[in-house]
Amino acid sequence: MAKAPKTAISPTRADDYPQWYQEVIKAADLAENSPVRGCMVIKPWGYNLWENMQRALDDMFKATGHQNAYFPLLIPMSFLEKEAEHVEGFAKECAVVTHHRLEPDPDGGLRPAGKLEEPLIIRPTSEMIIGATFAKWVQSHRDLPLLINQWANVMRWEMRTRMFLRTAEFLWQEGHTVHATEAEAVEETERMIDVYADFAENWMAMPVVIGSKTAAERFPGAVDTLSIEAMMQDRKALQAGTSHFLGQNFSKAQEIMFQAESGEREHAWTTSWGVSTRLVGALIMTHSDDDGFVLPPRLAPQHIVILPIYRDDESRAAVVEYAQSLKKELEAQRYADAPVRVMIDDRDVRGGEKKWHHVKRGVPIRLEVGPKDIEKNAVFMGRRDQPKSIGVGRDELVSTVADILSDIQQTLFDRALKLREDNTVTITDEKTFRDFFTTKDENTIHGGFAYCHFADEESIEPLLKELKVTIRCVPRDNNDTPGTCFATGKPAAKQAIFAKAY
Amino acid sequence: MAKAPKTAISPTRADDYPQWYQEVIKAADLAENSPVRGCMVIKPWGYNLWENMQRALDDMFKATGHQNAYFPLLIPMSFLEKEAEHVEGFAKECAVVTHHRLEPDPDGGLRPAGKLEEPLIIRPTSEMIIGATFAKWVQSHRDLPLLINQWANVMRWEMRTRMFLRTAEFLWQEGHTVHATEAEAVEETERMIDVYADFAENWMAMPVVIGSKTAAERFPGAVDTLSIEAMMQDRKALQAGTSHFLGQNFSKAQEIMFQAESGEREHAWTTSWGVSTRLVGALIMTHSDDDGFVLPPRLAPQHIVILPIYRDDESRAAVVEYAQSLKKELEAQRYADAPVRVMIDDRDVRGGEKKWHHVKRGVPIRLEVGPKDIEKNAVFMGRRDQPKSIGVGRDELVSTVADILSDIQQTLFDRALKLREDNTVTITDEKTFRDFFTTKDENTIHGGFAYCHFADEESIEPLLKELKVTIRCVPRDNNDTPGTCFATGKPAAKQAIFAKAY
């Protein structure tokens, strides 16, 4: 047996995918656990990535007519009592604020004091407080559509957490819109899932399928939940964004009414949609490899790192000067409507260590510059998506850098798409379905996407539970050919995607 | 007595300044109270202003080498116990999380359940949790300087709140930096107060004085607190930003140590600095008038609003088309390194009402366009900083729009500076000091800035308390001429600014 090549990340994906994921986060300096259970510290490299995601999404939201606003972190407990009345066995895992002061405890240390008349909860979503506000803002058809987005932190008391994918506190955006007609609200729901798909594919280089959730998987209270579903490298699905058509359900519960042109008072039609720091987790699991993180150029905090290589102070001066002038020249180039982002790593660290530092952090292009390169007016270029570094002339590099970045972006998308296509099957019988999803090891690979016609969600639920498989979505596009249910043989109008999932 | 002209805001500044402030916020759609006491909803127009402030500041922070990161919302109670040990009569007004679930109460409604082993508090600042994290991140002199900023929501259980100026939850940025030497930390502290002053003067058009806080007014634990102080229209001072040199006090408390080049383990030198949504309040109180909000162009969500004026559907089509092509042409112009921001208000609302809507919201330039204007290829322009509207040719408008915006920005700054200069005095005796600060009415005007030499803070404290005056700062610049204390006659090295304050 050939000896496996040494990798920067241990364990590898093939050895233990969940542990590999944690190690990539650590090696790439993206985040770390905090002293508060389930909450993370997002480190500068990870946060810069999130900022780039925010900027791109925010521009898309504004281009589609939305405005940002900010609503309070805390929500009175009574706002949830209405919801509780309708939910059997209601129990909400959330952070509850009961006091407004700390004071010395006579037994030592501190204790909570100043008990609140009404407990407050930290928003798990702002749905309810925004709804109550919209009920005041919306009076007439002239106030519609109302297209609001909020960037905020939210909190859900999760028992099992995993960095970026499921944390107690996370960062997200939540869009909330109000419309005069059903058709406009449906159109908005579709528009925003298309925005998410556009962002996922063209910025994250992550192919997604758009579809509707089935009744059992739908957001509670939604008439229709659209989602984008991506395949991770372990063949599991990850829901990367959702857009909900809420009909008049929320406007009735929250009394969001408007005077129509006819003069009648009517209940409005609402939507909501969101993505979160979970996308960072999705990005990591889509592109990273056994050497660490791999960043799609459009979202990379830095496109290029220049590594000056020198032996002594004399050669250092020349090399650093060359690096600086090269940086300036590259920064004058534009890629994807923005200047190329370049950093020089001139830390006093061994060359090999320095190189691997940036490999693990996923920088798309590394340029090594030493005295010999200067003589040849060239650099030694390593692309993060390719195993070997190559020599390239300085002028050629500068004139083609945008193309190289485009090519890396496209290569990452193509690889992710190929992985998905190679692991997507159509299944028409239960035996094949069982085989596809039966895995020996929880920590490696998990079937893939199975397109299956299905007649009725309830009757297949025991099978799905047994195999730990879920219906990801009923794809929106190219899904009009009827067939028979893979499990019951009954006639079925549509296919759904079945997969194990995060 | 001449009849006072009718104003859009009632009461006027002269009648009742605090109430005028609340009415401007309401009339300009900036924010409103929420169902949670002391917490506000920041409405789209107010939030867009905050976003513009954030963007400008964030660019300045990054240009000075800082990176953003994100730390948890919740802080374990034990993190505050160390602080409590040193503070007599410790009591911290803050939101305390004691439970992690809501469940049905047998007596009806909901109740908190799942008591936490250790209470958590919602961050009133992230000082302590960031310090604990930095203690892990900083190991060697190679890790320094560490220059981190965070944009976040924080919470302080304030008893008396006022929108933007003092709210229980507010949005802010907090910079936290670690340095190897005292000199570098002092330099950072100065650099960031200069950044804030630059932002206040050149973006907000709000003149400020940079100075040091006296011992009694200093941030607890700081060696030196620098602040920027601005004068509001009621002559009160508002502290708009602070930058703290923390010496080794925090690094000792939090054990932030590094291995120096010499090999020795040393305590690091730290700084912190912050501004908040309070700046929105400062902006309102600096420029607004009795007709509502006045926006400095560099921060305005929209620079220009075009108001189509028409009588019937036929004229409507031509007017709207003209407005749209004018919008496009104006948007192709650049002001202050960014495209000119233009909106068309084509709502079905009476012309007068529509005009006042935008006056109250502070849009720098209003352009009315009707059929007669089209014939003349002209528009009717209202500048928010001038009382009268004037006709202007379209071509002239387009070619000079950037200059007009610059002129408005400069005019607002000059007016604010003149107000400050007109109400700044030098006082050398107690009688004049008393007279200057004795006001008949809490709701109107309050003296101004008094520059006074002072010898010793403690001895003048009773006088200051009596007059409700505080020492705002010891100005940094042009303050080297010794004199005698206005109150005690003792020799005094420096002048301070005395004022009533927000």
Side-chain angles (χ1 to χ4, degrees), chain A residues 32 34-35 41, chain B residues 71-72 79 128-138:
Chain A
E32 65 184 32
S34 84
V41 173
Chain B
F71 297 85
F79 275 52
M128 274 158 297
I129 202 146
I130 291 181
T133 308
F134 282 2
K136 290 191 295 172
W137 290 2
V138 173

Side-chain angles (χ1 to χ4, degrees), chain A residues 409-420:
Chain A
Q409 181 83 21
Q410 189 62 45
T411 301
L412 296 185
F413 180 83
D414 292 345
R415 278 184 197 163
L417 185 61
K418 183 169 190 311
L419 182 96
R420 190 182 79 185

